Each structure stands twice: as structure tokens, then as C-alpha cells.
């Protein structure tokens, strides 16, 4: 079972930037990405990267503002978040898991298993 440690959350004003990091205890999983959940809302996929090749997925709400990247040598995935909006406020969770098809990852349709999640990091954007 891979262990995931997230960091980089915090509070920022609208228009600001944050960079989230997700360090995996080992390289074993083909799809890594970020989900978020705001109070009273369902969890949504934000971004994902297929680690073998680098194909990416972004939710429409973050396209052009967020960038996901990887450092395979460090088993780490990053989420650079620019032009943050109050509606980006949520708990952000990193996930890493295998997928049957690469398309499941870079289409955003993957469903990480229960033991494939980090503890989460809070992002708060004030107006």
C-alpha cells in the first residue's frame, strides 16, 4: 500500500497562488491526481496525470489556472494553482492508483480505491 503525504495548502486571497505537493512512498501507480471536496458538496476530480507518459486531465473549472506535474525521481506530484477563486476553497486530496486503461486517468473518470488516498490539505481562498 502506497503512503501519500500532501503539503502546501493554506489561505490566500483571490487571485493568489498555491502549490500543492503529494509525495508517494514508492513509485507503483500509474495515475496520480487531486480531488477536492467543499462543505456540503460532492467530491470532484480536479486534475490527474498518467505517470507513464504524462497525459493529463483537468476539470473545466480549473483549466488554464491549475497545472499538474510530476517528479518521478521523487515520486511526487504537484498542483500549481494560480488565479485562485473563492470557489476553489475546499479540502484537497491526493490519490494514486493503478488504472485498467490510461484513458481512465487522463479523462478524469478514474476512481481511486479506498486505500489510495492522502489525508488532505485545506485550501481557503478569500475574496
Amino acid at each position: 500500500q502506497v503512503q501519500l503525504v500532501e503539503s502546501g495548502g493554506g489561505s490566500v486571497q483571490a487571485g493568489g497562488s498555491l502549490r500543492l505537493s503529494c509525495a508517494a512512498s514508492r513509485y507503483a501507480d500509474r495515475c496520480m491526481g487531486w480531488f477536492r471536496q467543499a462543505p456540503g458538496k460532492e467530491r470532484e476530480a480536479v486534475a490527474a496525470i498518467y505517470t507513464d507518459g504524462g497525459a493529463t486531465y483537468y476539470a473545466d473549472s480549473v483549466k488554464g489556472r491549475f497545472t499538474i506535474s510530476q517528479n518521478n525521481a521523487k515520486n511526487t506530484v504537484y498542483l500549481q494553482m494560480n488565479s485562485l477563486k473563492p470557489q476553489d476553497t475546499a479540502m484537497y486530496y491526493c490519490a494514486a492508483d493503478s488504472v485498467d486503461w490510461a484513458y481512465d486517468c487522463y479523462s478524469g473518470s478514474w476512481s481511486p480505491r479506498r486505500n489510495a488516498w492522502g489525508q488532505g490539505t485545506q485550501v481557503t481562498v478569500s475574496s
Side-chain angles (χ1 to χ4, degrees):
Q1 178 179 343
V2 65
Q3 303 296 322
L4 301 174
V5 178
E6 301 123 325
S7 61
S11 297
V12 66
Q13 289 191 328
S17 298
L18 286 172
R19 187 194 195 205
L20 306 183
S21 298
C22 175
S25 56
R26 60 179 172 83
Y27 178 85
D29 303 292
R30 293 300 187 186
C31 190
M32 293 186 72
W34 296 89
F35 292 74
R36 68 186 180 187
Q37 187 165 22
K41 295 187 177 182
E42 293 187 356
R43 185 181 65 196
E44 64 171 337
V46 176
I49 186 165
Y50 190 65
T51 58
D52 185 11
T56 57
Y57 162 81
Y58 295 99
D60 288 342
S61 58
V62 307
K63 283 181 181 177
R65 301 188 297 122
F66 291 11
T67 301
I68 189 169
S69 60
Q70 62 179 334
N71 183 330
N72 286 343
K74 296 183 178 180
N75 299 335
T76 301
V77 169
Y78 307 96
L79 186 67
Q80 178 66 42
M81 305 185 295
N82 298 328
S83 302
L84 283 162
K85 304 175 181 180
Q87 51 264 46
D88 294 318
T89 295
M91 184 70 79
Y92 283 70
Y93 297 92
C94 178
D97 206 352
S98 57
V99 290
D100 292 332
W101 304 99
Y103 179 79
D104 293 342
C105 182
Y106 60 78
S107 69
S109 62
W110 68 312
S111 296
R113 287 170 288 184
R114 184 176 180 180
N115 62 351
W117 296 85
Q119 293 301 308
T121 184
Q122 178 68 37
V123 172
T124 302
V125 184
S126 59
S127 58

